[in-house]
Amino acid sequence: MGRTNRKRRSTLANRAIAASAALALGGGGLLAANIYASAGEGKNSTRNAQTNAASVATIKCPDVGQQLTDVPKGARAGVDKELAQLDQQVTEAYKRLADTRQAQAGDTGFVNNAILGPLKSKRVATIDRININIKRAGGKAPQGADQLAECQGMGADQINAGEGQGQNNGGQNGNGGQDQGNDGGQDQGDNGGQDQGGNGDQGGDGDQVINGPVAADFQDITQVQPNGGAKGVGGNGLPANGDGGSTGTFTTSCGTNGNDNHNSDNIIVAPGVDNGAQHTHDYVGNQDNNAFTSDQEFLQADTSCQNQGDKSSYYWPVLRLQDGTAEFDANDLGGGAEGNIGKILEASAAELKFVGNKAGDVVAMPQALRIITGDAKAFTNGLANANTNWSCTGFEDRQLTDKYPICPEGSSVVRTSFFQSCWDGQNIDSANHRTHVAFVQEDGTCANGFQAIPQLQARLVYDVPAPQIENGQVVNPFAVDGFPDQLHKAITDHNDFINFFDENTMNEVVDCINSGQDCQ
């Protein structure tokens, strides 16, 4: 398989990075951690303390980047590099968590003293450097560095508790009640029964892998009640179009990444940082997307889009089948060295459509506008920026947000993303990469004086064999790539877009949408 050409990274540097990752993360492959937890040990307080220490599933840290809403442009490059360093520190701490289960079982203070304490010290220093960068550029640094530096060990029954992670079986999940996530078992919430959701403890008795996914991360789509179709989480990702306003569409055909254009950079969140995403992306459209690509290079690059006026970059985390396949990145950062393993699946269809606004006309997007929808850290961050829709062909009136679908024979997996379609009218990006755009309100209008722009709707279809649930274990699961500490949860799916339509083609997009035509 190929991958995006990194013009500023030598082959020797690549090998050195991969070697250090393999050393740091145990030679590549799945990050494993053992949970020594079992039900029915209430009579032995010492054993219970050991169990509690060992059942920390992952690490939750404040997302510093989302707190930075006012970073001067002159400071952003330095700040983005420090934010990427914070991500790397969490990954290293998670690896230590995963590798020290036996020590945790014998020492109830181990996680705090040996993992979270040192992590906080590193984060304090990094946040201090962020603040210095901001102040030197004339900005105002955020307050409360100590609070932003403080991380928590998230236990088996704590992750996103009470936050309402989507709808499964037509009911609400996340309130401490029953999670009917799949036929591999139930999370009985408060009653001390088996926990098979959210933490990788699949049976409660013995050594389990927690990098995920696990059986409870999957849901039989035929058992989900119709819930109105794709609409995102918590109001995020509402479709902007309707029967009124601007009713046209513009569809761009850019392929399914058949030429294997991959890397683990993220030019939006971590420009200038190798492996800034810590997971591998599929790229369609612009063919020169890596951490170092300038806007001018985007404009000069080739595109996989049939309409050569569209040099936009569309990218998303790859979907993998965890079948033991050694992919090209099996020992690389972003791949197997950070827990992203198995066969990369090429979508059978990638439908990229721009639609209008049900309250009125849309205006042209500015060139180089950057939009991220969804949150790669939604499992520990919560649902504020989550925007996921999982379903199956033939069942798209039934959507899952925090589960992967198990599709019946002849049906394919579907990932759908609705992008923000309100723009502040001034900025192509913002310090936290979110506040310059927003989702429409329920009535389709844009709040705070924002302007309606064409809404990108991305629908990806995959012909992937349905995983089997056997004795509470999932066999040959599929999952999106992600940060190691996010445990490959479905809620972390996300999608990215950088607009490089030329002016004439963008005007055509707007005209088609506002006049009610369907163009491509």
Side-chain angles (χ1 to χ4, degrees), residues 188-450:
Q188 300 291 341
D190 298 330
N191 65 5
Q194 293 182 347
D195 175 6
Q196 294 200 12
N199 61 22
D201 178 2
Q202 292 194 39
D205 283 315
D207 304 347
Q208 304 293 336
V209 171
I210 70 163
N211 193 243
V214 296
D217 291 324
F218 292 86
Q219 169 83 44
D220 181 349
I221 197 68
T222 66
Q223 300 303 306
V224 177
Q225 296 299 315
N227 52 23
K231 57 186 176 183
V233 184
N236 293 342
L238 287 168
N241 58 322
D243 294 334
S246 44
T247 59
T249 66
F250 186 96
T251 300
T252 185
S253 179
C254 302
T256 56
N257 198 22
N259 59 338
D260 300 323
N261 188 353
H262 299 115
N263 65 42
S264 59
D265 296 344
N266 192 332
I267 185 65
I268 297 179
V269 174
V273 178
D274 286 321
N275 189 44
Q278 294 186 250
H279 52 266
T280 298
H281 286 125
D282 269 320
Y283 292 92
V284 302
N286 200 287
Q287 296 296 288
D288 189 21
N289 188 321
N290 60 50
F292 306 98
T293 307
S294 68
D295 286 357
Q296 188 60 38
E297 288 172 320
F298 274 121
L299 289 169
Q300 294 171 349
D302 293 332
T303 179
S304 67
C305 299
Q306 289 182 8
N307 188 326
Q308 293 295 294
D310 182 9
K311 292 191 175 183
S312 302
S313 182
Y314 307 86
Y315 62 104
W316 49 80
V318 298
L319 190 71
R320 295 187 196 248
L321 179 63
Q322 293 183 356
D323 61 352
T325 296
E327 272 288 3
F328 74 92
D329 59 354
N331 296 308
D332 293 345
L333 287 171
E338 290 180 307
N340 295 307
I341 61 167
K343 180 181 180 180
I344 293 176
L345 300 170
E346 181 185 344
S348 60
E351 302 169 5
L352 305 172
K353 181 169 66 174
F354 293 87
V355 304
N357 180 282
K358 62 185 177 183
D361 286 351
V362 298
V363 300
M365 294 180 179
Q367 199 166 78
L369 176 69
R370 285 140 163 87
I371 308 179
I372 303 169
T373 191
D375 184 359
K377 302 174 186 175
F379 184 52
T380 54
N381 276 354
L383 305 182
N385 293 312
N387 181 17
T388 53
N389 294 282
W390 291 91
S391 191
C392 303
T393 54
F395 297 87
E396 290 181 68
D397 61 341
R398 313 174 189 199
Q399 295 287 329
L400 299 168
T401 58
D402 66 335
K403 307 285 183 186
Y404 296 111
I406 298 177
C407 302
E409 186 175 355
S411 177
S412 299
V413 171
V414 182
R415 301 163 68 181
T416 306
S417 297
F418 295 149
F419 281 69
Q420 296 91 313
S421 57
C422 296
W423 169 53
D424 69 5
Q426 296 180 354
N427 299 294
I428 60 171
D429 200 2
S430 47
N432 63 4
H433 312 293
R434 293 190 185 273
T435 52
H436 63 298
V437 290
F439 293 104
V440 294
Q441 301 180 102
E442 286 281 353
D443 63 358
T445 60
C446 294
N448 302 318
F450 280 34

Side-chain angles (χ1 to χ4, degrees), residues 17 26 56 70 92 122 159-160 174 181 187 322 355 360 366 371 374 407 410 434 440 477 487 513:
I17 290 170
V56 174
D70 185 20
E92 291 168 356
K122 292 178 181 178
I159 298 174
N160 278 334
D187 175 2
Q322 293 183 356
V355 304
I371 308 179
C407 302
R434 293 190 185 273
V440 294
L487 310 187
I513 290 173

